[in-house]
Amino acid sequence: MDTYGGNDAYGGGSAPPGSDDRPADRERPPVPQVPPADYARTADAQTAGPQTADPQATDARTADARTTEASPAPPRTGVAALSPRYQVGAALALAVVAVAVCVQIGMVFLHVAPANTVSRKHGTAVDEWIYPEFEQNWKLFAPNPLQQNIAVEVRAEIRTAGGDLRTTGWYGLSAQDGRAIEHNPLPSHTQQNELRRAWDFFTASHTGDSRPVGLRGTLSETYLRRIAVLRLDRSGVAGAGATVERVQFRSRTTAVAPPRWSSEKVSQKPVFRVLPWWTVAQDDTPGGAR
């Protein structure tokens, strides 16, 4: 009788009863000891499951980080874009401009301000800075706005080609400028200001009886005389072969009529101021020769 014939205990590859598949000398690994306080955290983590981050927020933070790392610094502009050498030059130029502006404002203030200690002591320096380009006056504004119309006229004494002397009639120089300015959207500076400023220059540098005050009075006479000779020459007053020997100015002043609603009464009668005859010098003629 085959004891093992019907029970293929070993043939099936199974171990005999009572045998162990692990070695007898192999010990089990020690179980880690978890503190009691960590059991709650472990349980909460297992219950909550893995934390899932918001993909949109993650993408936004990633894009911001990439943009911050990739974007270059903004370019420098203005003076900061210059090299240090040119920055120093620009700073010096700005300082010079600032000083010039301050001096200009101070000089104009001393020129238009009432007489004071500084203007009396340094009046010559102020006048040299102001005249003629930066002259200021109060004729348009308070305290005494200009309320008169002043027309400047001139006549000449002509030496004809035959040697005779003749005197012309009065030529309205202001009227000529008025006709040139009227209906002209862009009148020239000469048409608007040359004669007017020359007459103001003359009256401000002469006494009531037309005597010059200092060098400025003499210069104003020369300026007026040359304007008269130039305009008479352009108009062909002398004629062929004749020369202008002397010129004489006069002004016709009339008050500006008050508005109709005003009760103010002013005289409309013109007031004339006639200057003495001035001999025309060679330098006063066009080209410097008569």
Side-chain angles (χ1 to χ4, degrees), residues 4 7-14:
Y4 302 99
N7 186 9
D8 192 5
Y10 296 100
S14 59

Side-chain angles (χ1 to χ4, degrees), residues 32-189:
Q33 301 295 323
V34 179
D38 293 340
Y39 279 112
R41 290 195 296 268
T42 304
D44 293 340
Q46 293 177 355
T47 303
Q51 299 294 326
T52 303
D54 186 359
Q56 295 182 354
T58 303
D59 293 343
R61 288 193 297 270
T62 304
D64 293 341
R66 291 177 179 176
T67 303
T68 303
E69 295 176 358
S71 61
R76 296 184 298 174
T77 59
V79 179
L82 302 176
S83 62
R85 179 189 306 174
Y86 290 104
Q87 288 182 2
V88 173
L92 291 176
L94 291 175
V96 171
V97 171
V99 171
V101 170
C102 292
V103 172
Q104 170 69 9
I105 294 175
M107 289 295 187
V108 172
F109 173 78
L110 292 175
H111 176 68
V112 301
N116 54 73
T117 303
V118 178
S119 61
R120 293 191 190 97
K121 183 177 181 181
H122 304 285
T124 303
V126 173
D127 290 344
E128 290 177 353
W129 180 279
I130 293 297
Y131 292 107
E133 290 84 3
F134 308 116
E135 183 180 1
Q136 308 289 321
N137 60 66
W138 294 97
K139 292 186 176 180
L140 181 60
F141 306 101
N144 295 313
L146 188 62
Q147 300 179 358
Q148 297 172 327
N149 288 322
I150 300 176
V152 179
E153 301 173 343
V154 69
R155 66 178 178 177
E157 190 176 74
I158 305 298
R159 176 76 65 179
T160 64
D164 298 329
L165 285 175
R166 67 180 180 88
T167 302
T168 66
W170 292 102
Y171 288 87
L173 302 182
S174 297
Q176 293 177 1
D177 289 343
R179 287 191 297 269
I181 293 172
E182 189 176 11
H183 306 303
N184 185 356
L186 297 173
S188 69
H189 179 76

Side-chain angles (χ1 to χ4, degrees), residues 239-261:
T243 58
V244 178
E245 295 286 335
R246 298 192 303 171
V247 294
Q248 185 181 31
F249 280 88
R250 77 174 181 181
S251 64
R252 188 182 74 254
T253 303
T254 55
V256 176
R260 289 177 294 179
W261 48 262

Side-chain angles (χ1 to χ4, degrees), residues 195-217:
L195 180 63
R196 179 181 63 85
R197 299 297 296 121
W199 188 256
D200 289 345
F201 184 22
F202 172 84
T203 57
S205 58
H206 281 71
T207 61
D209 55 355
S210 302
R211 289 186 300 177
V213 179
L215 178 61
R216 288 178 55 80

Side-chain angles (χ1 to χ4, degrees), residues 250-287:
R250 77 174 181 181
S251 64
R252 188 182 74 254
T253 303
T254 55
V256 176
R260 289 177 294 179
W261 48 262
S262 175
S263 59
E264 182 181 1
K265 302 297 182 180
V266 296
S267 175
Q268 295 296 311
K269 183 179 180 179
V271 177
F272 291 92
R273 177 180 180 179
V274 182
L275 305 186
W277 285 94
W278 293 337
T279 301
V280 176
Q282 183 176 0
D283 294 338
D284 297 331
T285 58

